[in-house]
Amino acid sequence: MSAPATTTWWCEHAWLSKGSSSGVRVVAGPDGRISDVETGVDPEPGDVRLAGLVMPGFANTHSHAFHRALRGRTHGDGGTFWTWRDRMYALADRLDPDTYRELATAVYAEMALAGITCVGEFHYLHHGAGGARYGDPNAMGLALRDAAHAAGIRLTLLDTLYLRGGIDVPLEGVQRRFDDGDAENWANRVSMLSDDPAFRVAAAVHSVRAVPADELDLVVEAAFGEDGVARPVHVHLSEQPAENAACQAAYGCSPTQLLSDHGVLGPSTTAVHATHVTPADIALLGSSRTTVCVCPTTERDLADGIGPARAMADAGAPLALGSDQHVLIDMLAEGRGLEMHERLVSGQRGRFSVAEIVDAVSPAGHAALGWPEAGRIEVGAVCDLVSLDLHSLRTAGSLPAQAPLIAAAGDVDTVIVSGRTIVSGGRHLLLEKGRSPRVAERMARAVAGAWGEP
Ligand SMILES: [Zn+2]
């Protein structure tokens, strides 16, 4: 990303650490970091004005980009998580680095237009048909990196270890595309990837179903860089009761306990879903300060259930949010889902404060993706800004302090990533230039291409 010169924005309202403030001037230097924040001030000549409520850029902590091609194609005939997964595998069988780059570019552009400035891609579609290696064995991951660059957002590649189709069940069919053979081969392949200013490499364990317990220790070891700093490790956890039953049968404990016993839990680890967890699991997640990434729109679309988010937060687990299989890409909807699911379960409103929801949407997610310097409008932070229109049909008449619970992705007007404006007036400035197709048209073509349709 080319660095812009010093820029000053004047925000009608902005979400700072203590909530919404009015008349906020934000200055960013050529390094893309915020160098000054003033509140209660009038605009000055030369300021770029941002109307509405300006929030810190959103972090989408859990994404499988290719699942976007299942939207509107898996909703007609009922089914279960497992029948949905059959369609997902049929799609995974078709993709190659070129079709995946096209699809992911459109998906990440949709994210940019929704105010997402950083995404964590939980990536396991590594190899070609039957597990054949591409010339560059990281061709698929690099296609994702290139897609995020084109869309102008930062990406953490959560390169995923995936070795089994179930506990003691070999990978078969399309699953062989996920297979690195063992954790050592996986670590060697991942070590060939390098960070850049908008791209960071991290690790993931698909689940305790897909990785034998005796391979987990090497993942934890590999997550420590040469500098001794731990990179993020993400893992799907107890999304379905069947995973708990299989783990109990094979290892005599819950998936959370198994991860804990192998040193996987901790402040640089993120457990995704944690839907079906016990009080003992909640205590382990909380006391280890493991982040829990909840994915409300996916969890209800796949009939997963509702996890104990409030209890996990109270136990000490930071909460983050992800759009996961992308039935919707709208982090405000994910944040609202966190609260609304709790309301349905508890019979109470206000289970999470607006500030807690914003924390999950922005700083907690960025930290979980290895970008702790992002997600806040404060001096020293990466300058990621998202302005929400407070005069749309959805938001008109709302108080700015409550807008995060009311607004939707369609209310995003301007998006700034590291001081660079990538969306303005709801238009993607990098991809919707001149006669370029709109992102929606690009998406339709990419989805058709992914399915091999004319
Ligand atoms: Zn997932």
Side-chain angles (χ1 to χ4, degrees):
M1 269 184 216
S2 59
T6 297
T7 308
T8 303
W9 293 272
W10 181 83
C11 313
E12 187 180 7
H13 307 282
W15 192 278
L16 307 182
S17 58
K18 294 191 178 79
S20 170
S21 299
S22 299
V24 178
R25 180 177 293 113
V26 179
V27 183
D31 60 355
R33 299 282 186 125
I34 295 172
S35 57
D36 195 23
V37 178
E38 292 178 88
T39 59
V41 298
D42 293 323
E44 291 182 5
D47 290 357
V48 178
R49 296 189 185 205
L50 296 174
L53 175 66
V54 176
M55 296 181 65
F58 305 153
N60 190 354
T61 306
H62 190 64
S63 163
H64 306 280
F66 75 93
H67 295 187
R68 172 63 181 79
L70 298 162
R71 188 190 296 177
R73 290 167 177 254
T74 52
H75 299 94
D77 300 317
T80 65
F81 171 88
W82 307 104
T83 56
W84 171 88
R85 195 179 71 158
D86 289 342
R87 292 297 293 153
M88 185 267 280
Y89 281 169
L91 174 64
D93 207 13
R94 304 194 58 94
L95 290 164
D96 61 33
D98 291 332
T99 52
Y100 202 7
R101 187 183 303 100
E102 283 303 307
L103 178 59
T105 299
V107 176
Y108 296 150
E110 181 180 357
M111 290 188 193
L113 288 163
I116 292 161
T117 52
C118 186
V119 58
E121 181 64 35
F122 199 106
H123 169 58
Y124 53 80
L125 188 52
H126 301 304
H127 305 298
R133 282 7 182 195
Y134 290 111
D136 182 332
N138 286 306
M140 293 293 260
L142 293 172
L144 293 164
R145 179 199 64 183
D146 295 348
H149 283 172
I153 67 174
R154 291 193 298 276
L155 182 135
T156 296
L157 187 72
L158 299 158
D159 197 298
T160 304
L161 178 62
Y162 199 139
L163 301 173
R164 298 284 185 277
I167 298 174
D168 292 330
V169 179
L171 294 172
E172 58 180 33
V174 64
Q175 294 175 330
R176 295 177 65 195
R177 299 191 63 179
F178 314 157
D179 189 10
D180 281 302
D182 58 32
E184 192 174 352
N185 285 335
W186 163 83
N188 287 336
R189 180 179 55 71
V190 176
S191 72
M192 295 162 66
L193 292 161
S194 320
D195 292 350
D196 71 30
F199 176 72
R200 290 186 182 166
V201 181
V205 170
H206 180 274
S207 59
V208 301
R209 286 181 285 124
V211 176
D214 58 7
E215 303 268 8
L216 291 171
D217 306 77
L218 187 57
V219 179
V220 177
E221 204 179 296
F224 282 88
E226 289 169 8
D227 50 6
V229 176
R231 290 174 181 257
V233 176
H234 288 218
V235 54
H236 288 130
L237 179 67
S238 294
E239 181 177 7
Q240 292 288 327
E243 175 180 310
N244 291 357
C247 188
Q248 197 72 41
Y251 300 112
C253 65
S254 71
T256 304
Q257 183 70 54
L258 189 70
L259 294 175
S260 178
D261 290 349
H262 287 271
V264 179
L265 301 185
S268 56
T269 294
T270 296
V272 181
H273 302 300
T275 305
H276 301 282
V277 287
T278 65
D281 295 336
I282 293 170
L284 283 173
L285 293 166
S287 62
S288 61
R289 300 290 180 266
T290 299
T291 296
V292 173
C293 178
V294 186
C295 306
T297 65
T298 288
E299 288 153 9
R300 63 180 181 246
D301 185 63
L302 297 182
D304 286 346
I306 300 176
R310 182 70 262 173
M312 292 190 284
D314 289 343
L319 298 184
L321 293 158
S323 65
D324 193 359
Q325 47 88 304
H326 311 311
V327 66
L328 187 66
I329 292 178
D330 183 342
M331 298 314 296
L332 295 163
E334 302 297 344
R336 200 156 48 239
L338 188 67
E339 164 67 10
M340 296 305 165
H341 290 185
E342 277 281 330
R343 289 185 188 184
L344 289 171
V345 169
S346 69
Q348 296 174 343
R349 305 180 82 218
R351 297 279 288 170
F352 290 98
S353 67
V354 183
E356 285 179 306
I357 290 169
V358 174
D359 199 61
V361 168
S362 287
H366 283 98
L369 294 175
W371 303 85
E373 66 273 50
R376 291 182 186 82
I377 301 177
E378 64 181 27
V379 172
V382 173
C383 186
D384 292 349
L385 307 175
V386 177
S387 79
L388 300 177
D389 181 2
L390 295 183
H391 297 287
S392 75
L393 269 177
R394 283 174 294 272
T395 59
S398 304
L399 300 174
Q402 296 183 22
L405 267 181
I406 297 302
D411 298 317
V412 169
D413 181 272
T414 300
V415 181
I416 293 151
V417 181
S418 298
R420 175 199 201 196
T421 304
I422 62 165
V423 172
S424 180
R427 196 172 184 96
H428 199 295
L429 300 182
L430 309 181
L431 294 175
E432 296 183 322
K433 288 186 287 199
R435 295 188 176 192
S436 303
R438 300 299 300 260
V439 170
E441 187 183 338
R442 180 187 280 263
M443 182 73 76
R445 281 190 210 164
V447 169
W451 285 109
E453 297 167 354

